[in-house]
Amino acid sequence: MNSITLHIAGVISTFLTVLPLATMAATAVDSMVSIDGEAQGTTYHIRYFDPKNRNFKHSIDSILTEFDKCLSLYRPDSELSAFNTNGQHRFRSQWFYEVLSKSKEIHEATGGAFDPTIMPLSEAYGFGNKKNTDPENANIDSLLSLIGFKQIEFNEKEVQARPGVKLDFNGIAQGYSVDILGAFLKSLGIDRFMVEIGGEVLCSGFKTGGKPWVTGIENPLKTNALAATVRLTDRAMTTAGNYHNHIIRNGITYNHIIDPRTGGPRPGGRRSGAPEQPLLLSVTVFAQDAITADGYDTAFFVMGLEATKTFLKNRKDMDVYMLYTNEEGQLMSFATDGIKDFIEEK
């Protein structure tokens, strides 16, 4: 059991002590409970089988609120905002340390393709809290001096950085929150569930009749359409893509995923109406936990199709499904051997 798993277990016990749990009359063993709501600027959907038919929405909402108080980029009272304002912070919640520690692990494994110190570049391109920035006037070379784990020091109690360095955990924190809710359900004896927040998914066990959970992967070239469905059990799935979050300035499209090694959007900005070129559109990662999948989907998107294939030859703990266009603009796909039999393309 790793440090993140141990910490999640401790956090869950705290919430069980202080949060009321709504209880309903017991029904059939295979009674499925459905809980939906909003959190982290998106929606969540949770399904689980509980013979007591208990509804834990109040506790789930409370956990997600506390998570935002730690790691939200958009709450001025969050721990993350405190660090980005002051350049140093003593952790109030262990969540901050766990996400920072996992981020460093992925950063080192991918040669810097994933890096939460990316925020100064994100702001320069007009993402994050600075929506009106003109990316064509951004001093990228200067901002690159603020990027990288060499700019910060941290331990289990605190983090500090040189002036101007800021952290953005949007590429990994949501996956961690999915893991936390999964651990919460397991602490209550519930081991057949699907937790989904903003498209980040964790599945455990099977549905009625031994059927796996089924989730979809969006078609980035069609609105409200799926490229594929996936059968999942005891696995997490997250996706990084360039088709939802982008801005257009002076006819140039800038995607929100930025290569921290070069400072440029990945794939690079291109002028609207330009001829189609081979282009990676989305990377879906499958791993044992959602924090791992969430961090690596961003890194793999930055690395690209071929580099990701090479990387995964030595990493059998993860699988990917990648969507891209060929030179004619046709949608193409690649799946690793460990997941291809569980995918049904549309």
Side-chain angles (χ1 to χ4, degrees):
M1 184 178 293
N2 59 35
S3 63
I4 291 179
T5 303
L6 287 169
H7 174 61
I8 289 176
V11 169
I12 297 313
S13 66
T14 299
F15 274 96
L16 285 173
T17 301
V18 301
L19 295 177
L21 300 179
T23 305
M24 301 176 65
T27 58
V29 172
D30 265 353
S31 176
M32 186 173 76
V33 179
S34 298
I35 298 176
D36 305 295
E38 296 182 359
Q40 302 174 2
T42 185
T43 59
Y44 71 77
H45 306 281
I46 298 172
R47 308 288 183 262
Y48 58 86
F49 289 92
D50 179 19
K52 299 180 181 179
N53 201 31
R54 294 169 293 177
N55 187 308
F56 297 109
K57 179 173 173 54
H58 179 80
S59 294
I60 288 168
D61 286 341
S62 296
I63 292 170
L64 291 173
T65 296
E66 292 303 310
F67 191 83
D68 272 359
K69 289 180 181 178
C70 179
L71 294 174
S72 173
L73 191 63
Y74 302 101
R75 285 187 66 131
D77 61 342
S78 73
E79 292 192 59
L80 182 57
S81 294
F83 168 78
N84 285 339
T85 299
N86 302 318
Q88 58 183 3
H89 182 67
R90 191 170 183 83
F91 303 134
R92 300 193 298 269
S93 165
Q94 192 72 1
W95 286 333
F96 200 131
Y97 170 76
E98 297 294 355
V99 172
L100 189 55
S101 180
K102 186 68 173 183
S103 296
K104 185 177 182 180
E105 173 191 315
I106 298 173
H107 171 85
E108 293 175 347
T110 61
F114 178 80
D115 197 325
T117 66
I118 197 73
M119 187 170 175
L121 284 169
S122 297
E123 289 183 329
Y125 281 108
F127 300 104
N129 292 324
K130 293 188 177 181
K131 301 296 185 182
N132 297 318
T133 302
D134 184 357
E136 289 190 316
N137 293 325
N139 190 340
I140 301 303
D141 290 339
S142 176
L143 292 174
L144 280 172
S145 67
L146 301 174
I147 309 303
F149 268 87
K150 63 182 179 295
Q151 311 298 341
I152 63 175
E153 295 180 2
F154 71 97
N155 53 38
E156 293 187 6
K157 295 182 178 180
E158 60 187 357
V159 58
Q160 57 185 358
R162 56 170 288 197
V165 174
K166 296 181 180 180
L167 292 169
D168 179 348
F169 290 128
N170 281 347
I172 193 169
Q174 194 167 85
Y176 188 42
S177 68
V178 171
D179 290 334
I180 288 170
L181 293 185
F184 172 71
L185 293 174
K186 286 190 174 181
S187 74
L188 301 168
I190 297 169
D191 58 6
R192 299 166 59 202
F193 61 78
M194 179 178 72
V195 175
E196 180 267 330
I197 304 177
E200 320 283 54
V201 180
L202 176 66
C203 295
S204 176
F206 294 88
K207 298 191 296 183
T208 303
K211 295 180 180 179
W213 300 94
V214 178
T215 187
I217 297 174
E218 286 186 81
N219 185 327
L221 299 183
K222 296 181 180 179
T223 304
N224 298 322
L226 295 179
T229 57
V230 189
R231 302 186 305 278
L232 289 179
T233 184
D234 298 328
R235 216 167 193 189
M237 179 188 101
T238 70
T239 300
N242 69 354
Y243 48 95
H244 279 315
N245 191 1
H246 59 267
I247 60 174
I248 299 176
R249 294 284 190 274
N250 301 321
I252 300 178
T253 300
Y254 295 91
N255 301 311
H256 76 288
I257 297 179
I258 299 168
D259 189 337
R261 302 165 301 182
T262 65
R266 177 66 185 173
R270 66 185 191 280
R271 293 202 171 273
S272 300
E276 291 286 351
Q277 299 294 326
L279 181 67
L280 183 61
L281 298 177
S282 72
V283 178
T284 300
V285 177
F286 304 86
Q288 290 303 304
D289 52 50
I291 190 174
T292 298
D294 200 12
Y296 275 102
D297 66 19
T298 302
F300 292 159
F301 196 88
V302 168
M303 291 163 60
L305 183 67
E306 296 305 323
T308 298
K309 290 180 182 179
T310 300
F311 181 90
L312 289 174
K313 288 180 180 179
N314 299 315
R315 290 292 298 264
K316 302 305 180 183
D317 57 323
M318 288 181 287
D319 284 292
V320 299
Y321 178 73
M322 293 187 280
L323 293 170
Y324 60 98
T325 57
N326 60 15
E327 289 82 354
E328 290 74 40
Q330 297 171 319
L331 186 64
M332 309 294 290
S333 67
F334 167 82
T336 49
D337 291 340
I339 197 64
K340 62 173 54 176
D341 290 340
F342 300 92
I343 293 177
E344 180 179 343
E345 295 188 322
K346 300 298 181 181

